Amino acid sequence: MALRLLLPLLLLTATLLITQAQGIGNLGMDCCLKNSQAQIPSNRVTSYTLQGPESGCALRAVVFTTKKNKKICASPTDPAVQKVMQNLDKKLRKDKKKGQPPRYRDRPRRQKQQRV
């Protein structure tokens, strides 16, 4: 008789533990709950990330990070947001090129002629 009462209690406890363990993996994830309608200050934005169902968030959004490490959520379909994203991508490519050594031409530099 005690086994009949203990078995459902054990099953219930195991189910609760498994359900809680599945939610642990998403504790550190911050998701945007709504998109901002304000203009994105492109001169203050340093980077962006995309969020959506594939990252565990219900809302599809672009998350901009400012110089002061603040997060701004914006709609990925907004043309102004897409322009800010393109400008950041261009800036990133430009910064990567600056990190490379300068390319020199194959031919030697022309020597100045000395006057006699």
Side-chain angles (χ1 to χ4, degrees):
M1 176 113 170
L3 189 59
R4 283 187 178 173
L5 293 174
L6 190 60
L7 188 60
L9 185 60
L10 286 174
L11 286 174
L12 179 63
T13 305
T15 305
L16 287 174
L17 288 174
I18 290 171
T19 305
Q20 286 180 348
Q22 288 176 345
I24 288 174
N26 220 8
L27 285 178
M29 182 68 179
D30 283 337
C31 293
C32 295
L33 301 178
K34 65 178 186 172
N35 289 329
S36 173
Q37 299 300 319
Q39 185 70 24
I40 305 298
S42 60
N43 59 339
R44 293 186 183 148
V45 173
T46 58
S47 65
Y48 71 90
T49 57
L50 300 174
Q51 86 167 27
E54 61 278 352
S55 63
C57 300
L59 181 68
R60 190 170 298 278
V62 178
V63 184
F64 290 104
T65 305
T66 65
K67 291 178 181 177
K68 293 186 177 182
N69 207 23
K70 298 204 180 213
K71 308 289 185 196
I72 302 173
C73 301
S75 172
T77 58
D78 184 5
V81 171
Q82 291 176 359
K83 184 152 182 127
V84 172
M85 290 168 56
Q86 289 173 355
N87 289 341
L88 281 172
D89 290 340
K90 283 181 187 176
K91 184 179 175 186
L92 181 65
R93 275 188 250 124
K94 192 177 191 181
D95 289 346
K96 280 186 179 180
K97 283 184 180 179
K98 282 183 182 178
Q100 295 175 352
R103 295 187 336 185
Y104 295 105
R105 295 181 185 166
D106 291 341
R107 62 182 182 197
R109 208 176 230 181
R110 197 175 195 191
Q111 297 291 328
K112 287 187 177 181
Q113 293 180 355
Q114 294 179 351
R115 293 187 179 178
V116 201

